[in-house]
């Protein structure tokens, strides 16, 4: 039987491409060893900043092609489809929330308008809209798209919203492999404050873990390598649902990187986050404004001691290039409002602070100058392989971060000009007990700068940064 779009008719449809359990001969990824994934901060591209909730298959495939040809050799390997991929045309109406926001609408009698926008299988699991993703027709899901991404040498990622869809609750669909239904596990009073599609899942109810298990069993059958789970940390912090997601990944038979959103993550839950996720958002949605970038200096400083193999504090995406295409909800279509010096500050901070690196812009219209920020292997090396990353100090006018290369003892030094005027910044190497003579290399310029001892000085543009490697002589 064919999967039906009309939820009102979807009582006993059969999904043609049913999810397959993981290979029983393969070890599951346990809480103890999930950190073998994301041994270094994940690097990739996410569709949200440019396309909001409206990326389609053709555009996504072209982006994957671009990444394979221009970015993969530098380490950018995750290609992530962001939210509401089950909707054929999200955001094409005015809502009380804001124009373009894909909230659920209701009839005059209060019945939700599910049939016009939701694709869901018989077990209450959302599946891609074939209007936007033609290869998902007849319930095929993202399997073909995942195979295409893998054929290009990349890894396939998707966004999900925490919980179970309201349509599954409304039609009381069964939980796969159980005698329970959506109404047995859903919490109708627990909804996302900015996207009203989902109800929370009550961890204490029988069938709750099985529901999440069925989701990740499905995602594993599609070849998903990365899941961004949204509405997990925005107050309140959903500790038990995060744990259910973790267990579901462990049981799905496929290694999947878990990214939690949105922030700011509560610092008091750092140990819980490190035990359950590979990366988590420490900032709110990050856009192209200097005040937000300035705030992230403090956030990254607070979280720097919690970074390590398999668990990374995520400062959010890189809004370089063209973003907010077609005047999406996050402002007019535009090239990034960051000045070029601010580009250097952002990329330097994300790299020496070891944040995951996710490009947010439209890669299909990117300029060579913007692309160059993503192709500097010497700068990216700091993000991937440096250690002991930390802020030394921050004042109103400047900030200094340092790190080391554990393989050879080289040092990394980032000087940030936080003021509105070009100025000299001098760093006393004694502050970090760097007491040798050093050959200095400018990593952005890719050139050697001579020998220093005792202190280093550089003239830095307003809101700009420099990044040096110091090699002991």
């Amino acid at each position: 039987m064919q999967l039906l779009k009309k939820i009102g008719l979807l009582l006993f449809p059969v999904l043609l491409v049913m999810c397959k359990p993981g290979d029983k001969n393969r070890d599951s990824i346990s809480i103890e060893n999930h950190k073998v994934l994301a041994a270094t901060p994940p690097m990739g591209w996410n569709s949200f900043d440019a396309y909001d909730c409206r990326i389609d298959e053709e555009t996504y495939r072209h982006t994957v092609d671009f990444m394979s040809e221009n970015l993969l050799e530098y380490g950018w390997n995750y290609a992530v489809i962001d939210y509401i991929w089950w909707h054929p045309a999200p955001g094409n109406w005015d809502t009380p929330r804001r124009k373009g926001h894909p909230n659920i609408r209701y009839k005059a009698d209060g019945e939700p308008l599910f049939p016009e926008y939701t694709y869901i299988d018989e077990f209450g699991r959302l599946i891609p809209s074939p209007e936007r993703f033609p290869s998902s027709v007849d319930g095929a899901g993202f399997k073909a798209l995942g195979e295409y991404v893998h054929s290009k040498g990349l890894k396939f990622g998707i966004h999900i919203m925490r919980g179970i869809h309201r349509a599954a609750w409304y039609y009381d669909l069964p939980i796969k492999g159980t005698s329970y239904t959506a109404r047995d596990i859903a919490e109708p009073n627990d909804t996302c404050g900015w996207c009203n599609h989902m109800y929370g899942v009550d961890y204490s109810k029988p069938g709750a873990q099985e529901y999440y298990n069925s989701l990740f069993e499905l995602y594993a059958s599609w070849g998903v390598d990365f899941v961004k789970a949204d509405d997990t940390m925005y107050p309140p912090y959903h500790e038990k649902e995060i744990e259910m997601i973790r267990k579901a990944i462990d049981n799905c038979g496929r290694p999947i990187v878990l990214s939690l959103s949105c922030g700011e993550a509560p610092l008091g839950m750092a140990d819980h986050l490190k035990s359950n996720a590979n990366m988590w958002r420490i900032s709110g949605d990050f856009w192209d404004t200097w005040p937000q970038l300035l705030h992230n200096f403090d956030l990254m400083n607070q979280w720097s001691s919690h970074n390590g193999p398999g668990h990374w504090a995520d400062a959010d995406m890189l809004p370089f290039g063209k973003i907010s295409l077609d005047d999406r909800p996050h402002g007019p279509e535009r090239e990034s409002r960051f000045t070029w010096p601010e580009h250097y500050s952002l990329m330097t901070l994300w790299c020496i602070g070891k944040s995951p690196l996710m490009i947010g812009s439209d890669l299909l219209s990117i300029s060579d100058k913007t692309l160059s920020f993503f192709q500097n292997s010497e700068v990216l090396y700091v993000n991937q392989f440096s250690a002991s990353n930390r802020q030394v100090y921050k004042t109103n006018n400047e900030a200094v971060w340092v790190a080391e290369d554990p393989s050879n003892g080289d040092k990394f030094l980032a000087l940030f000009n936080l003021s509105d005027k070009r100025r000299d910044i001098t760093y006393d190497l004694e502050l970090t007990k760097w007491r040798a003579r050093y050959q200095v290399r400018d990593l952005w310029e890719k050139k050697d700068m001579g020998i220093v001892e005792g202190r280093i000085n550089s003239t830095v543009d307003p809101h700009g940064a420099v990044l040096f490697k110091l090699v002991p002589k």
Side-chain angles (χ1 to χ4, degrees):
M1 298 196 312
Q2 184 178 9
L3 179 73
L4 300 178
K5 172 184 174 185
K6 297 292 187 181
I7 300 294
L9 302 177
L10 197 159
L11 296 178
F12 302 99
V14 176
L15 182 61
L16 294 182
V17 182
M18 297 301 293
C19 51
K20 299 177 182 179
D23 185 346
K24 298 302 182 182
N25 296 320
R26 181 176 185 168
D27 291 337
S28 64
I29 306 298
S30 72
I31 288 180
E32 287 72 26
N33 68 17
H34 78 265
K35 295 174 185 178
V36 301
L37 297 174
T40 62
M43 297 170 59
W45 173 87
N46 178 292
S47 63
F48 179 74
D49 282 2
Y51 300 96
D52 193 63
C53 55
R54 303 172 209 175
I55 189 75
D56 58 39
E57 181 165 347
E58 181 180 10
T59 305
Y60 178 75
R61 284 178 181 257
H62 287 323
T63 301
V64 167
D65 294 342
F66 182 92
M67 291 182 66
S68 181
E69 295 166 7
N70 298 280
L71 292 171
L72 180 59
E73 66 180 288
Y74 298 95
W76 306 89
N77 61 351
Y78 288 100
V80 183
I81 295 173
D82 214 273
Y83 76 144
I84 320 296
W85 35 260
W86 57 85
H87 194 315
N92 287 344
W93 56 72
D94 292 333
T95 72
R97 178 88 163 87
R98 67 177 183 235
K99 183 177 180 180
H101 195 275
N103 275 353
I104 289 174
R105 293 189 297 166
Y106 293 86
K107 299 177 183 177
D109 62 1
E111 181 183 356
L113 295 174
F114 294 130
E116 72 177 45
Y117 80 95
T118 300
Y119 280 86
I120 196 168
D121 75 4
E122 79 238 58
F123 299 119
R125 302 175 299 186
L126 294 160
I127 56 177
S129 160
E131 287 90 346
R132 291 167 57 202
F133 301 96
S135 67
S136 71
V137 69
D138 294 330
F142 276 135
K143 184 175 177 59
L145 201 52
E147 290 173 350
Y148 183 78
V149 173
H150 295 152
S151 75
K152 294 293 183 175
L154 274 69
K155 297 184 178 182
F156 181 47
I158 61 172
H159 171 288
I160 65 170
M161 295 295 298
R162 173 187 66 87
I164 189 166
H165 199 276
R166 288 171 180 244
W169 179 91
Y170 190 84
Y171 295 104
D172 203 19
L173 299 178
I175 305 302
K176 186 176 186 293
T178 77
S179 60
Y180 304 104
T181 68
R183 293 198 179 189
D184 292 322
I185 67 170
E187 293 189 284
N189 62 339
D190 177 13
T191 59
C192 175
W194 48 266
C195 188
N196 70 351
H197 291 251
M198 314 295 285
Y199 289 149
V201 171
D202 185 345
Y203 76 96
S204 68
K205 298 295 181 61
Q209 183 63 57
E210 288 79 4
Y211 165 72
Y212 272 113
N213 290 348
S214 75
L215 285 186
F216 281 87
E217 184 182 277
L218 180 62
Y219 303 155
S221 77
W222 292 345
V224 171
D225 305 296
F226 181 105
V227 166
K228 175 184 174 182
D230 212 338
D231 190 37
T232 53
M233 300 183 299
Y234 193 79
Y237 182 86
H238 295 278
E239 179 178 2
K240 296 302 182 182
E241 281 196 80
I242 291 171
E243 291 174 6
M244 285 193 288
I245 291 171
R246 174 75 264 151
K247 291 177 183 177
I249 293 176
D250 295 345
N251 293 327
C252 78
R254 182 177 181 83
I256 296 175
V257 168
L258 176 59
S259 168
L260 298 182
S261 187
C262 56
E264 298 178 4
L267 190 60
M269 298 304 295
D271 289 342
H272 185 261
L273 288 163
K274 289 186 287 186
S275 295
N276 289 281
N278 299 109
M279 51 189 277
W280 56 90
R281 280 270 299 283
I282 61 172
S283 74
D285 284 358
F286 179 78
W287 290 98
D288 48 338
T289 71
W290 175 248
Q292 284 186 289
L293 176 51
L294 199 58
H295 181 50
N296 267 24
F297 276 87
D298 296 329
L299 294 174
M300 294 180 75
N301 178 45
Q302 292 169 6
W303 282 96
S304 61
S305 64
H306 297 287
N307 282 325
H311 50 87
W312 306 103
D314 177 14
D316 203 12
M317 288 177 279
L318 306 168
F320 292 177
K322 187 176 289 186
I323 56 177
S324 200
L325 272 62
D326 300 328
D327 295 337
R328 299 184 188 281
H330 308 287
E333 181 175 318
R334 62 190 183 275
E335 289 289 327
S336 177
R337 292 175 294 206
F338 282 126
T339 66
W340 288 115
E342 289 167 354
H343 279 68
Y344 284 101
S345 275
L346 192 161
M347 197 70 180
T348 299
L349 179 62
W350 265 234
C351 284
I352 202 163
K354 295 189 76 72
S355 171
L357 301 176
M358 287 287 169
I359 301 167
S361 58
D362 173 35
L363 292 177
L364 305 182
S365 62
I366 196 168
S367 69
D368 290 342
K369 186 172 183 178
T370 301
L371 184 61
S372 69
F373 283 94
F374 308 137
Q375 294 179 326
N376 187 318
S377 57
E378 296 186 44
V379 172
L380 295 174
Y381 182 93
V382 179
N383 176 265
Q384 293 292 288
F385 302 113
S386 64
S388 301
N389 307 70
R390 62 200 184 276
Q391 179 178 285
V392 180
Y393 66 81
K394 174 175 169 287
T395 69
N396 290 333
N397 291 322
E398 63 190 49
V400 174
W401 278 68
V402 298
E404 300 176 3
D405 189 334
S407 70
N408 56 21
D410 291 350
K411 315 297 184 184
F412 300 106
L413 173 67
L415 307 178
F416 299 91
N417 179 3
L418 307 182
S419 75
D420 297 331
K421 296 181 180 180
R422 198 165 189 257
R423 62 192 303 271
D424 288 344
I425 298 178
T426 300
Y427 178 67
D428 185 349
L429 302 183
E430 182 63 23
L431 291 177
T432 36
K433 302 298 188 289
W434 293 353
R435 293 169 174 168
R437 297 174 70 246
Y438 296 95
Q439 171 69 53
V440 178
R441 181 169 178 82
D442 186 322
L443 298 188
W444 280 115
E445 297 295 329
K446 297 184 179 180
K447 64 181 182 181
D448 293 332
M449 305 297 291
I451 304 293
V452 300
E453 184 175 4
R455 63 184 56 199
I456 188 169
N457 177 271
S458 183
T459 302
V460 186
D461 290 329
H463 297 183
V466 292
L467 180 59
F468 297 129
K469 178 171 72 172
L470 280 64
V471 180
K473 305 300 291 185

